Structure formats: C-alpha cells, structure tokens
Amino acid sequence: MSTAPTLNGQVIGQAHYATRALLERAAGPLGLRFAQVVALNALAAGPVERAQLVHRLTSTLKVDEPAVREVIDALVDADLAQVDGPAPQLRLTDTGHVTRARVADAVAGITARLYAGIPADEADAAARVLTLVTQRANAELAAS
C-alpha cells in the first residue's frame, strides 16, 4: 500500500524545480532564463523604479543585488525593457510585451496540464499551506 508523501521542503523543492524546468524549456527558445521571466512579469503591470524592482527580485528570487542587476541589464540589452525618466524607472518595450505574452501563454499551458484534475479544495489548501510556509521562511530570513 502506498502512502502519501510527507509535506516538507524536499517535496516542495521537487515540485518547484520540476515546474521551473518546464518553464525554462519554454522560455529558452525566446532567449530567456528563469530570473528574466520573473523580471518581465514584475514589469508587466507598468513602470517600476529600478530600486524597487531590484528589491522585489532579490526578495523573490533570494539572490543578491549584483545578480539582479545582471538580469535587468540583460533585459535592457535585449530590448525587452528600457529605462525612462529622471527617477530611473524600468518598463517593458513593445518587444518585451510581446515576449512576456508568449511566456504567459506557455505558462498557461504548463499550468493547465500540471494542475488538471486536482480538486479545487485540495488546490486551495495547498496554496494556503505553501503561502504560510513562504511567509514563515521569509520571516526567518529577515530576522537573521
């Protein structure tokens, strides 16, 4: 008789890395890495001050500022984002919007396939648990 796996960091990590690998496979032909996709998504809502974007990406990706600056510079160099205004704000270019839409379409397909058939109440419970675990981990990181 098979037993359900124990919810722990290993199980969560395996799901993250497997899903991330699918995303990277979809984004690769567009010349994008995972961190660049995250940055494109952050810029999709509109212009963001560079410092705010750096903070958002360092806290989301758990990487240092130089790594985030490389991601931002790569997006600018690829004409996917540009810097506007005196208080340097980054925004998506037209090419950036098109590229982000292509990634979003790929993600929608991946999501539909991976989450198909999971009952809504189970998906909701998993989302609540993972959100709580993320909040607790972030609180511990902030405290240290």
Side-chain angles (χ1 to χ4, degrees), residues 108-121:
I110 292 167
T111 301
R113 291 188 305 277
L114 296 181
Y115 292 84
I118 297 176
D121 60 331

Side-chain angles (χ1 to χ4, degrees), residues 81-94:
Q82 70 183 40
V83 180
D84 286 331
Q89 290 197 327
L90 287 134
R91 70 171 184 81
L92 292 179
T93 62
D94 290 343

Side-chain angles (χ1 to χ4, degrees), residues 1 10 18 23 29 38 44 54 57 60 67 74 98 105 114 117 125 127 129 136:
M1 175 184 235
Q10 182 177 5
L23 172 62
V38 174
V54 168
L57 294 177
T60 298
V98 169
D105 287 345
L114 296 181
V129 168
R136 288 176 177 176

Side-chain angles (χ1 to χ4, degrees), residues 18-117:
T19 305
R20 180 175 170 168
L22 290 172
L23 172 62
E24 288 176 342
R25 183 184 299 166
L30 300 172
L32 298 172
R33 297 184 329 263
F34 177 76
Q36 292 168 321
V37 170
V38 174
L40 287 175
N41 286 335
L43 292 170
V48 178
E49 286 187 19
R50 181 182 283 266
Q52 185 180 11
L53 181 61
V54 168
H55 174 73
R56 180 172 176 179
L57 294 177
T58 57
S59 63
T60 298
L61 297 171
K62 308 300 185 235
V63 297
D64 61 13
E65 285 188 24
V68 168
R69 292 185 195 289
E70 286 180 23
V71 168
I72 293 169
D73 291 345
L75 293 178
V76 171
D77 291 346
D79 192 37
L80 299 174
Q82 70 183 40
V83 180
D84 286 331
Q89 290 197 327
L90 287 134
R91 70 171 184 81
L92 292 179
T93 62
D94 290 343
T95 303
H97 281 288
V98 169
T99 301
R100 193 222 163 247
R102 290 177 68 190
V103 171
D105 287 345
V107 168
I110 292 167
T111 301
R113 291 188 305 277
L114 296 181
Y115 292 84

